[in-house]
């Protein structure tokens, strides 16, 4: 997850997402975010009058938009778009990161869910919206591949929840095997959902 941001506010949201995905919400301090973003500490209160909760919620929203936008890039990279191919591309992003950079990072939306969703209603709403922002493009892509509209949202939920679980297991085991297993086992099931051409 890399993205070039220009203004201090945008850099801080991006930095918060990066720190949350690595350290969780509890271990991510506002000063850490400002330092990571190269922004003046005094700007935190200016840009985020709601404090850490506001910053976390905006970082989660950014992560949901990022994941949703990646769907189009994954599709563009497939010679023949299939549900299994899309899921494999989604998982490959993480497999590549873990094989290249190690297992330090996870999904900031998942981290915020675990750390804060039960304590902060606004964060619970933010993570639910972030998952919806991601699920929508996945479901739309599946529909475009011939999956009936009535199943596309359910399968998008299955794909995202399986991926999130595999990410957690890969980090715990320090091994990409949960990701490769998920792709191998879920892919054929996803492809059976495509309606036959008439």
């Amino acid at each position: 997850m890399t993205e070039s941001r220009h203004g201090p506010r945008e850099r801080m949201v991006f930095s918060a997402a990066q720190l949350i995905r690595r350290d969780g919400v509890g271990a991510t301090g506002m000063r850490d975010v400002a330092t990571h973003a190269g922004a003046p500490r005094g700007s935190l209160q200016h840009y985020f009058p709601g404090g850490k909760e506001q910053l976390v919620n905006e970082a989660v929203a950014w992560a949901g938009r990022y994941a949703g936008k990646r769907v189009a890039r994954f599709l563009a990279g497939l010679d023949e778009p299939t549900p299994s191919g899309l899921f494999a591309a989604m998982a490959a992003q993480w497999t590549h990161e873990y094989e290249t950079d190690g297992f330090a990072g996870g999904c900031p939306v998942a981290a915020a869910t675990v750390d804060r969703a039960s304590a902060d209603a606004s964060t619970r709403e933010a993570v639910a919206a972030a998952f919806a922002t991601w699920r929508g493009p996945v479901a739309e892509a599946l529909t475009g591949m011939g999956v009936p509209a009535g199943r596309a949202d359910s399968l998008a939920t299955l794909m995202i929840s399986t991926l999130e679980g595999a990410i957690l297991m890969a980090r715990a085991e320090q091994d990409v095997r949960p990701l490769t297993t998920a792709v191998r086992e879920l892919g054929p099931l996803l492809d059976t959902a495509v309606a036959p051409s008439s």
Side-chain angles (χ1 to χ4, degrees):
M1 288 187 179
T2 58
E3 185 165 302
S4 174
R5 295 292 191 176
H6 302 291
R9 186 181 202 291
E10 292 80 12
R11 289 197 316 270
M12 285 188 281
V13 170
F14 174 75
S15 290
Q18 300 314 301
L19 294 173
I20 290 167
R21 73 187 292 265
R22 186 188 70 200
D23 302 325
V25 173
T28 298
M30 296 287 275
R31 289 181 180 178
D32 300 324
V33 171
T35 300
H36 188 275
R41 266 191 279 169
S43 62
L44 285 164
Q45 184 61 35
H46 173 72
Y47 291 117
F48 305 101
K52 185 174 179 179
E53 186 173 337
Q54 179 187 355
L55 179 57
V56 168
N57 294 350
E58 291 193 29
V60 163
W62 175 88
R65 290 190 305 273
Y66 175 87
K69 289 175 187 172
R70 292 284 297 176
V71 173
R73 288 192 220 160
F74 293 144
L75 289 174
L78 299 175
D79 291 334
E80 183 180 335
T82 61
S84 63
L86 174 59
F87 184 67
M90 290 165 64
Q93 171 186 356
W94 291 96
T95 303
H96 175 74
E97 175 181 330
Y98 291 153
E99 290 176 338
T100 305
D101 301 325
F103 295 84
C107 173
V109 180
T113 302
V114 170
D115 286 359
R116 300 301 314 155
S118 63
D120 298 329
S122 69
T123 300
R124 185 197 59 73
E125 292 168 7
V127 296
F131 279 125
T133 299
W134 184 8
R135 187 173 59 244
V138 174
E140 187 177 310
L142 292 172
T143 303
M145 294 175 202
V147 173
R151 287 201 67 199
D153 190 67
S154 296
L155 288 180
T157 298
L158 177 64
M159 290 167 70
I160 291 169
S161 60
T162 300
L163 180 61
E164 289 286 8
I167 290 166
L168 288 172
M169 292 178 71
R171 290 184 76 193
E173 296 173 13
Q174 299 285 287
D175 192 323
V176 297
R177 186 185 54 78
L179 288 159
T180 57
T181 299
V183 169
R184 184 178 67 246
E185 297 295 335
L186 187 59
L189 172 69
L190 294 171
D191 288 342
T192 64
V194 175
S197 300
S198 48

